[in-house]
Amino acid sequence: MTDRALAVVRAGALTTVQDRGRPGHAHLGVPRSGALDGPAAALANRLAGNPADAAVLETTLNGCALRPRSAVVVAVTGAPCPVAVDGRPVAWGAPVRVRAGSVLDVGAATSGVRAYVAVSGGIAVDPVLGSRSTDLLSGLGPAPLTDGAVLPLGIPRGDHARVDVAPQPAPPDELVLRVTPGPRDDWFTPEAVRVLTSRTYHVSPASNRIGLRTTGPALERARPDELPSEGMVLGAVQVPPDGRPVVFLADHPTTGGYPVIAVVRPSDLPAAAQAAPGTPVRFVAVRRR
């Protein structure tokens, strides 16, 4: 077994191929997509000796198991989880050598939601519109992993990092999202705007790569009429008819007809990728920059 490929032994609940995504195509109706926790994906690539834009695997909650067909270096970052090779524990957050035919098992997250698995050379599926990312909303890119699938690997470009463990931020016990009010905050009552930034919400189990859904107090509309569909951006806090805010993530639609009460700062969104269901959420208003 000397070919550059990776066989999927256990696909897990939801494992997808992700890179930096395909920004710049919203006018075509194509979402950005890409790794939800961008810093964790970039760190995994650095540890494995890949460029930052190499494609990695993004797992959800219960990890995955992989068998490389040639010797590789792997690194697992993001949500803390047990990592083993042929049943023997190995390091999380550090480069690990895996022999051809051995099984790398990325276990269930002990906290957080999404782990990132980088393999030396990167996942080399065919790019679509300049990206190898799986987009769950539009269906672009490779399908989510299934048991028995085989993924091609690229040729390694450099040496892996020489570290025992790389520091990473812990998944949030409380998710604090800084928001800029608008553009449709005037569609809500003054009390609703106050509630958004003063009450605590919680991450809903219905959250996914499209949006982080919340449970908590409903936000009351000041206007009952329908909003014409308009462009949506990453981090938009849209309020559907039930009044509970939804934070748009990487696979969000490019247009929408529900009012956006605020927009989350991009630097706060990686933490949202690791906020498990039930995590408290606070929206903090900040001035426009």
Side-chain angles (χ1 to χ4, degrees):
M1 292 183 291
T2 58
D3 55 320
R4 298 286 303 171
L6 198 64
V8 179
V9 177
R10 177 177 63 85
L14 176 63
T15 302
T16 59
V17 177
Q18 299 295 339
D19 55 20
R20 286 177 165 176
R22 45 183 71 87
H25 298 289
H27 64 293
L28 301 176
V30 177
R32 178 189 182 95
S33 195
L36 289 193
D37 188 343
L43 175 60
N45 272 325
R46 287 199 299 273
L47 293 173
N50 295 335
D53 60 353
V56 301
L57 298 179
E58 179 184 275
T59 75
T60 308
L61 293 175
N62 69 345
C64 65
L66 310 163
R67 179 183 286 114
R69 293 181 173 177
S70 60
V72 294
V73 174
V74 302
V76 182
T77 61
C81 58
V83 183
V85 174
D86 292 337
R88 296 187 298 274
V90 296
W92 168 84
V96 174
R97 292 186 180 275
V98 182
R99 295 178 299 179
S102 291
V103 174
L104 170 75
D105 191 275
V106 180
T110 56
S111 61
V113 178
R114 295 173 175 90
Y116 292 85
V117 185
V119 183
S120 53
I123 308 299
V125 296
D126 292 335
V128 178
L129 292 177
S131 171
R132 295 181 166 90
S133 289
T134 301
D135 182 344
L136 298 181
L137 184 66
S138 70
L140 293 176
L145 267 59
T146 56
D147 294 355
V150 177
L151 300 172
L153 296 176
I155 303 299
R157 300 185 188 179
D159 293 334
H160 64 81
R162 306 289 178 176
V163 298
D164 294 326
V165 65
Q168 301 178 59
D173 293 326
E174 178 185 56
L175 181 61
V176 178
L177 299 175
R178 293 170 294 173
V179 297
T180 301
R184 300 298 180 189
D185 50 325
D186 59 342
W187 279 58
F188 297 87
T189 65
E191 175 64 11
V193 176
R194 187 194 68 80
V195 166
L196 176 71
T197 57
S198 64
R199 300 282 294 276
T200 298
Y201 288 81
H202 291 83
V203 176
S204 166
S207 299
N208 54 28
R209 283 185 46 86
I210 296 170
L212 184 142
R213 296 183 177 274
T214 65
T215 60
L219 302 179
E220 183 182 4
R221 292 264 296 265
R223 296 179 56 173
D225 45 323
E226 293 297 321
L227 178 70
S229 187
E230 58 186 359
M232 293 290 120
V233 298
L234 184 68
V237 183
Q238 190 183 68
V239 183
D242 68 2
R244 273 73 183 185
V246 178
V247 180
F248 275 169
L249 301 180
D251 288 357
H252 71 84
T254 56
T255 61
Y258 300 134
V260 171
I261 192 172
V263 179
V264 177
R265 284 195 173 178
S267 57
D268 291 349
L269 293 174
Q274 302 296 357
T279 300
V281 182
R282 286 196 301 115
F283 295 96
V284 179
V286 295
R287 293 182 179 179
R288 291 179 174 86
R289 292 188 292 181

